[in-house]
């Protein structure tokens, strides 16, 4: 499981991963184009044109997974690469990893950036107990109901609640959070992690309401609510 950068202008391939990746010529990837670009920029010891790629993403059918493992059953190693960040965590890869476990194939995680953990590290929110909830419901009434439920858990149990949103809906989600959440609830907004334009700030909702909003349009963001 090979992480790749989540922001522009940061290191492409950690040195600790290079020897492992250089030894692999078969890759299961979320997107072939982005994977080829990542490996090409990483300075592999062989031309990218000599590598074999198969795609595994939200369009992959269940019956297509097992044939992807046939080279592994024949003794080859494979690397899984998602488009950004850590495969299998809020990204494709978990189904392949699960099938590997059922088939007796060892799954090895390599070191790399996770926007979820990076945001939590920088937030000042509770890192001992937290939950990543993925995407909230799209429809406003259901989204508001979910926000109140997760806020209740954050305030009652002290468990940090993390969310993501489609980048073009970030600003709308932030406004709804500032409308629905209690003034004393602490809210973290973490944007463009590992990029030169990185922005991470935690404030009570009341203070967020009284300050200019950050520009979130089409920028990858993590939101955290806590007490």
């Amino acid at each position: 499981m090979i992480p790749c950068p989540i922001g522009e202008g940061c290191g492409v391939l950690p040195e600790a991963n290079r020897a492992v990746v250089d030894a692999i010529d078969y890759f299961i990837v979320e997107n072939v184009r982005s994977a080829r670009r990542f490996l090409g920029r990483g300075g592999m010891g062989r031309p990218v044109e000599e590598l074999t790629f198969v795609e595994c993403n939200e369009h992959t059918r269940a019956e297509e997974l097992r044939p992807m493992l046939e080279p592994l059953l024949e003794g080859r190693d494979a690397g899984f690469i998602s488009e950004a960040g850590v495969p299998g965590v809020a990204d494709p890869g978990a189904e392949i990893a699960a099938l590997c476990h059922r088939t007796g194939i060892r799954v090895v995680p390599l070191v790399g950036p996770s926007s979820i953990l990076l945001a939590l590290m920088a937030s000042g929110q509770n890192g001992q107990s937290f939950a990543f909830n993925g995407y909230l419901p799209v429809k406003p009434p259901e989204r508001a109901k979910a926000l109140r439920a997760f806020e209740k858990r954050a305030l009652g149990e002290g468990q940090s609640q993390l969310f993501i949103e489609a980048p073009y809906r970030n600003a709308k989600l932030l406004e709804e959070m500032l409308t629905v959440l209690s003034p004393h609830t602490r809210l973290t907004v973490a944007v463009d992690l590992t990029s030169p334009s990185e922005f991470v700030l935690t404030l009570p909702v009341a203070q967020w309401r009284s300050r200019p909003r950050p520009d979130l349009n089409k920028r990858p963001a993590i939101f955290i609510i806590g007490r």
Side-chain angles (χ1 to χ4, degrees), residues 29-76:
V29 302
E30 182 178 4
N31 179 276
V32 170
R33 183 178 179 182
S34 64
R36 288 171 64 93
R37 184 169 60 248
F38 163 57
L39 294 173
R41 290 177 179 174
M44 289 192 69
R46 72 182 77 186
V48 175
E49 291 74 21
E50 296 179 3
L51 307 177
T52 301
F53 297 90
V54 294
E55 284 194 349
C56 179
N57 49 43
E58 69 272 19
H59 305 297
T60 303
R61 300 188 302 273
E63 61 269 21
E64 295 176 311
L65 296 175
R66 191 170 184 86
M68 296 180 186
L69 299 188
E70 289 180 359
L72 286 77
L73 295 172
E74 296 170 358
R76 292 172 71 184

Side-chain angles (χ1 to χ4, degrees), residues 110-170:
L110 299 185
V111 173
S114 164
S115 60
I116 297 167
L117 292 181
L118 291 172
L120 188 60
M121 288 166 60
S123 70
Q125 305 268 29
N126 186 2
Q128 299 294 324
S129 177
F130 59 91
F132 175 65
N133 300 290
Y135 293 91
L136 293 170
V138 174
K139 294 183 179 179
E142 288 86 350
R143 188 165 59 238
K145 181 179 179 180
L147 280 171
R148 292 188 183 98
F150 289 126
E151 180 185 39
K152 183 178 180 180
R153 180 176 297 175
L155 300 181
E157 302 175 19
Q159 184 184 69
S160 301
Q161 303 294 313
L162 288 77
F163 312 91
I164 55 175
E165 182 53 282
Y168 66 92
R169 290 203 297 256
N170 280 335

Side-chain angles (χ1 to χ4, degrees), residues 143 147 169-181 187 189 205 208-214 216 223:
R143 188 165 59 238
L147 280 171
R169 290 203 297 256
N170 280 335
K172 189 172 183 179
L173 175 58
L174 177 58
E175 289 303 320
E176 181 142 18
M177 284 182 162
L178 299 186
T179 299
V180 171
L181 300 177
L187 171 63
V189 179
V205 166
W208 276 111
R209 290 172 180 167
S210 64
R211 62 177 285 129
R213 309 290 191 261
L216 303 181
F223 302 90

